[in-house]
Amino acid sequence: MRALRFIRTQPLAIVAFVAIIVALVLTATGQPTAVAVLAIGVIGIVIAVTAWDMFRDLMAGHWGLDILAVVAMVATLMVGEYIAGLIIALMLTGGEALENYAAHRASRELDLLVNRAPSFAQRIGPGTSEVERIAVDEVAVGDLLVVRSGEVVPVDGTLVSKRAVIDESSVTGEPIPVTYAEDDSILSGTVNTTEAFTLRADKVAADSHYASIVRLVTEAVESRAPMVRLADRYAVPFTILSLTIAGLAWYISGDATRFAEVLVVATPCPLLIATPVAFMGGMSSAARLNVIVKEGGALETLARVRSAALDKTGTLTKGKPIVVDIRPGEESATETLRAAGAVEQYSVHVFADPIVAHARAEGLPLPEVTAAEEIATNGVQATLADGTSVRVGKPTFIEEVTGPVQRTELRPGETAVYVSTGTRLAGVIVLSDPLKDNAAETVQRLKEHGVRTIAMVTGDVAATAKSIAAQAGIEDVYAETTPGTKIEVVQQLQPRPALMVGDGINDAPVLAVADVGIAMAARGATAASESASAVITSEDIGRVADVIHVGRRTVRIALQSIWLGIIISVGLMLVAAFGYLPAVVGALLQEVVDLVAILSALRALRIHREIQTAKVAGHPRALAPAR
């Protein structure tokens, strides 16, 4: 099947290969005329096809490096080096096959992630205990599903059974299985490592976490790295240098064959192949680190990042706050919590669930809400059944209806959520959302990788933001920002390029306008992940520094591979210029140069191992910044 697929997709390569065999037989039997006719026919077809492709590239604004191969084939025909010309034709047509093979190997981890997508589910029939196997797309919200031992969780859902032990390594990067209890949320794409359990579907397959990751990976696999254009920067000088060496060799020796012999080893396949292979390898390494980079251009930009803006909640902090205090204003603590709990049911902010959960844990009856609206980066405003207007959010949002309010004092790591009823400040709910364990270390690693400006950009109040920033080692703090002011801050960051890291729906606009945006999407994809250039599928903020390291190493490997191919090719050209490299031998050696360039580029597949090895040794900062 593979042979048939290759014949179908690479017909010219097959024709060129067969032509070489036939030409060798004809040469051995003393039929030079037949060899010439065969070579002219086959090489002429390859030249025509290549010239047409070059013309289309030029119309698209890209300089075609294949011009050297075309000139070399024409030269071999003119001087009668027919076997060498056929070898060049095979090299040119077979180069695409080599590139496809290398790119396939480099994108293997991305492909595996896509192929692991759940395809079926075991559903318990309504009103029965019978279990039926259905396609994952048939699962509806509310369905009861059985997940057997070793099976992939098909959709996001709530655990109905008393207990489950889940392997989340493929989704979040956490190597140790996690134990869940009844009513806990479980992500799709994770694996059941214990006995069968029952799950209530919270989302359909298309909206579940793993499906969003698969969509991002599919985009990454299908994208063509703009870094390929890096090779185009060398196209004109390399072409001029090659033609100059070939022309001088012909002029000095007076032998036109020297011209052909030089150009035979000047074919630029290493430049064409090395960069896309290196960038697919870099994207695969990033995927192994639970970072989905959507296209190679983002990886190149990450390699050059000099400024970074980081969101606070859920990015630098753990994003799992708890209510630690309720400070009454003009309402009691109980009434403040009741009003906030009712309204926060309609919010997607990370503080909403802890407030609602705390109100329910206190056994408070929540009043009915007749209308509610979330105001991005400000809070939620709602109307209760008795007509009372309630606002929950930052103090400036509350002050729009109450007038100036005094900011409550906070300890490091605490955040205040203000609550108003009507035109009165009902009270303040204090939550604690501690800094992630490796946040400070990540900031230091960013600095070591050449990120000169690091700022915190958050909608939270200034006191909390400054406290968290100080713990993380960040000096520049922009607090109480709106989506608009976040964009302004990131656009003004210097030096460029600028990176933005965030996790919430409020961060989607700024992630889209940053030079490169990274979304933290461990607990489900949001608008943030759709607008970002890269998505971290775990909760590890350290992956930000990891993917910058991957980007820098990938660019370095791509450039090394390009220069390796150029240096070897120039060396062979000089040898050929002095008449020590016959055209046939040169054509065969050029294939070796191609393989060397590919093998060099494939080193990008091992970048993730460097990072993992350093972390296992307990010294992630021991990684030498890739220059």
Side-chain angles (χ1 to χ4, degrees), residues 407-433:
R407 305 308 197 259
T408 189
E409 293 185 3
L410 299 170
R411 291 189 295 268
E414 291 184 341
T415 299
V417 174
Y418 292 73
V419 183
S420 68
T421 54
T423 59
R424 301 184 302 169
L425 176 65
V428 179
I429 299 175
V430 179
L431 301 96
S432 177
D433 184 17

Side-chain angles (χ1 to χ4, degrees), residues 18-265:
V18 172
I20 291 174
I21 301 298
V22 174
L24 290 173
V25 173
L26 292 175
T27 299
T29 56
Q31 302 181 56
T33 302
V35 173
V37 172
L38 175 65
I40 291 171
V42 172
I43 295 173
I45 293 172
V46 174
I47 289 175
V49 172
T50 304
W52 173 246
D53 290 340
M54 286 170 51
F55 175 76
R56 289 191 301 178
D57 287 341
L58 287 172
M59 290 298 98
H62 304 303
W63 175 267
L65 277 167
D66 289 341
I67 188 172
L68 283 176
V70 171
V71 174
M73 286 186 287
V74 171
T76 56
L77 292 179
M78 293 178 65
V79 300
E81 292 285 352
Y82 299 119
I83 301 296
L86 287 171
I87 292 176
I88 296 174
L90 175 61
M91 178 188 64
L92 189 63
T93 56
E96 183 181 348
L98 284 173
E99 181 178 348
N100 290 340
Y101 169 76
H104 174 72
R105 180 185 168 190
S107 63
R108 183 167 50 197
E109 285 77 18
L110 298 178
D111 294 334
L112 287 174
L113 195 58
V114 173
N115 294 334
R116 283 191 69 259
S119 59
F120 68 88
Q122 307 284 354
R123 182 173 63 188
I124 301 175
T128 71
S129 58
E130 296 183 4
V131 178
E132 57 176 340
R133 182 184 174 112
I134 60 172
V136 70
D137 292 335
E138 296 178 24
V139 175
V141 174
D143 282 351
L144 290 179
L145 309 175
V146 174
V147 182
R148 300 185 175 119
S149 179
E151 287 184 346
V152 177
V153 177
V155 296
D156 295 354
T158 300
L159 182 63
V160 176
S161 301
K162 296 294 183 183
R163 178 178 177 273
V165 181
I166 304 296
D167 177 4
E168 297 185 333
S169 58
S170 63
V171 175
T172 67
E174 173 58 53
I176 302 174
V178 180
T179 300
Y180 285 95
E182 185 178 0
D183 293 332
D184 284 344
S185 297
I186 297 179
L187 295 176
S188 60
T190 55
V191 180
N192 179 18
T193 64
T194 185
E195 67 275 1
F197 63 80
T198 304
L199 185 79
R200 180 181 295 105
D202 292 337
K203 295 182 181 179
V204 297
D207 296 333
S208 290
H209 181 63
Y210 201 79
S212 67
I213 294 177
V214 168
R215 283 195 296 272
L216 295 171
V217 173
T218 301
E219 292 174 10
V221 171
E222 293 176 351
S223 69
R224 180 176 182 268
M227 182 65 179
V228 172
R229 293 173 189 163
L230 176 64
D232 295 342
R233 302 173 196 172
Y234 297 88
V236 173
F238 185 77
T239 300
I240 293 173
L241 176 63
S242 301
L243 292 173
T244 300
I245 294 174
L248 287 173
W250 183 4
Y251 175 77
I252 294 172
S253 68
D255 184 1
T257 302
R258 295 281 180 89
F259 183 80
E261 290 173 344
V262 171
L263 291 185
V264 161
V265 292

Side-chain angles (χ1 to χ4, degrees), residues 90 158 215 218 227 230 250 259 274 277 305 330 358 395 406 413 455 460 478 494 516 558 567 578 582 599 627:
L90 175 61
T158 300
R215 283 195 296 272
T218 301
M227 182 65 179
L230 176 64
W250 183 4
F259 183 80
V277 170
V305 162
E330 297 185 49
H358 191 73
Q406 184 176 356
D460 209 343
Y478 299 87
Q494 293 294 333
V516 59
I567 291 171
F578 286 98
L599 291 175
R627 301 289 178 189

Side-chain angles (χ1 to χ4, degrees), residues 310-535:
L310 307 175
D311 180 44
K312 182 183 75 69
T313 305
T315 301
L316 286 169
T317 62
K318 293 183 178 180
K320 297 178 180 178
I322 57 173
V323 175
V324 295
D325 192 14
I326 302 175
R327 299 170 185 174
E330 297 185 49
E331 299 278 1
S332 67
T334 298
E335 289 304 314
T336 298
L337 181 59
R338 286 184 70 245
V343 172
E344 288 285 62
Q345 295 178 96
Y346 298 88
S347 173
V348 296
H349 194 275
V350 70
F351 292 157
D353 284 346
I355 291 174
V356 174
H358 191 73
R360 287 174 175 167
E362 293 292 321
L364 301 179
L366 302 182
E368 182 182 350
V369 176
T370 57
E373 178 185 9
E374 182 156 25
I375 311 299
T377 75
N378 283 289
V380 183
Q381 61 181 14
T383 302
L384 304 183
D386 62 5
T388 302
S389 176
V390 178
R391 285 192 174 197
V392 181
K394 62 173 57 175
T396 53
F397 182 52
I398 302 302
E399 287 175 335
E400 293 177 4
V401 294
T402 65
V405 299
Q406 184 176 356
R407 305 308 197 259
T408 189
E409 293 185 3
L410 299 170
R411 291 189 295 268
E414 291 184 341
T415 299
V417 174
Y418 292 73
V419 183
S420 68
T421 54
T423 59
R424 301 184 302 169
L425 176 65
V428 179
I429 299 175
V430 179
L431 301 96
S432 177
D433 184 17
L435 192 71
K436 288 181 177 177
D437 296 337
N438 62 340
E441 177 186 277
T442 299
V443 170
Q444 183 59 36
R445 288 178 61 199
L446 290 177
K447 294 177 180 177
E448 292 171 357
H449 277 302
V451 183
R452 291 160 51 188
T453 301
I454 302 178
M456 175 190 288
V457 184
T458 176
D460 209 343
V461 295
T464 302
K466 289 179 179 179
S467 172
I468 293 295
Q471 295 177 55
I474 298 174
E475 297 178 359
D476 298 332
V477 179
Y478 299 87
E480 301 185 34
T481 57
T482 65
T485 54
K486 279 189 177 183
I487 290 174
E488 292 174 4
V489 168
V490 172
Q491 288 177 332
Q492 293 171 7
L493 283 179
Q494 293 294 333
R496 311 298 290 189
L499 162 71
M500 175 66 198
V501 185
D503 75 320
I505 189 171
N506 301 334
D507 298 318
V510 69
L511 288 171
V513 301
D515 295 319
V516 59
I518 298 180
M520 305 285 294
R523 301 304 297 182
T526 65
S529 64
E530 297 300 324
S531 61
S533 305
V535 179

